[in-house]
Amino acid sequence: MPDRRQPDSPTDDNPFAAPPEGRPDQPWQPRSGGDGGNGDGPKDSDGQRGPARWDPTDPIQRRARYALLAGMWGFFFGIFEIPSVGLLLGALALYWGITALRGKPAPATATGAPAATGGLDAMGAAARPQRTAAVIGLVMASLAILLAMSSYAVQIAYKDFYVCRDDALTQTAQLQCNTLLPDNLVGNVLKVRQ
């Protein structure tokens, strides 16, 4: 099969390609892209280095991530019928999500100099992923708490039925427990067919 070489183009940016014929090898240099950067991170319009997307030392960003993780796991525990863990994780995610969204920069230091800005508002455009994580964490936390509370409500509402059914020694006694169920959809689902 013949060698299919592409014609040389001036826009070829392959850093591993051999130099064109007749040009000597050059030592490696960082690229200077069109964004005005010199390889050390994103730049603002005025040339200042922009904030990092994820700073693990910032408590507001950590709380946004914690809210997402705790809300997600709380929802899963609620689905898998472990309401106590789901309720705990949902409450934690709710707290972390609210504090992440309401986060403000740190107060001024004792010397009177303003402290370094922090929180989601100080991050500017880079705060979008953290804000999204906090909001999704709040939604998942609300769902986890709703699942846990509905599980507890069903257990309380149908406590007499479950106690009667567990204590029944015969099939006939178990069928008589159906009189303790209210007439609604959940009661009809739980009824034992004769």
Side-chain angles (χ1 to χ4, degrees):
M1 184 162 196
D3 187 18
R4 294 184 178 180
R5 293 189 180 184
Q6 298 285 333
D8 292 335
S9 65
T11 60
D12 189 16
D13 284 342
N14 185 357
F16 303 106
E21 290 182 29
R23 191 185 303 172
D25 287 342
Q26 295 178 347
W28 180 85
Q29 295 176 357
R31 292 188 201 176
S32 59
D35 61 354
N38 58 0
D40 62 346
K43 300 283 184 180
D44 290 340
S45 59
D46 59 352
Q48 299 289 331
R49 188 169 187 276
R53 295 185 85 177
W54 166 241
D55 181 14
T57 60
D58 187 5
I60 307 257
Q61 293 183 41
R62 276 197 320 260
R63 287 180 186 148
R65 295 291 172 106
Y66 290 165
L68 175 65
L69 290 172
M72 179 182 64
W73 281 106
F75 178 71
F76 286 137
F77 279 113
I79 286 177
F80 295 131
E81 297 180 4
I82 308 174
S84 56
V85 178
L87 184 64
L88 173 69
L89 289 174
L92 284 172
L94 201 63
Y95 169 73
W96 283 326
I98 290 171
T99 56
L101 289 175
R102 294 185 65 196
K104 293 188 167 82
T109 59
T111 61
T117 59
L120 294 179
D121 291 334
M123 291 178 64
R128 190 172 144 214
Q130 309 309 326
R131 191 169 282 125
T132 303
V135 169
I136 291 174
L138 283 175
V139 170
M140 297 299 277
S142 301
L143 290 173
I145 290 172
L146 183 67
L147 283 171
M149 291 306 209
S150 63
S151 174
Y152 286 134
V154 166
Q155 289 176 15
I156 291 170
Y158 298 107
K159 181 179 180 185
D160 293 337
F161 168 74
Y162 288 121
V163 169
C164 176
R165 194 182 68 183
D166 291 341
D167 291 344
L169 298 176
T170 64
Q171 183 72 21
T172 308
Q174 193 175 24
L175 289 173
Q176 288 177 349
C177 294
N178 288 342
T179 58
L180 298 173
L181 289 172
D183 277 338
N184 61 22
L185 180 63
V186 177
N188 292 334
V189 170
L190 292 176
K191 282 185 181 175
V192 178
R193 300 289 177 206
Q194 296 182 2

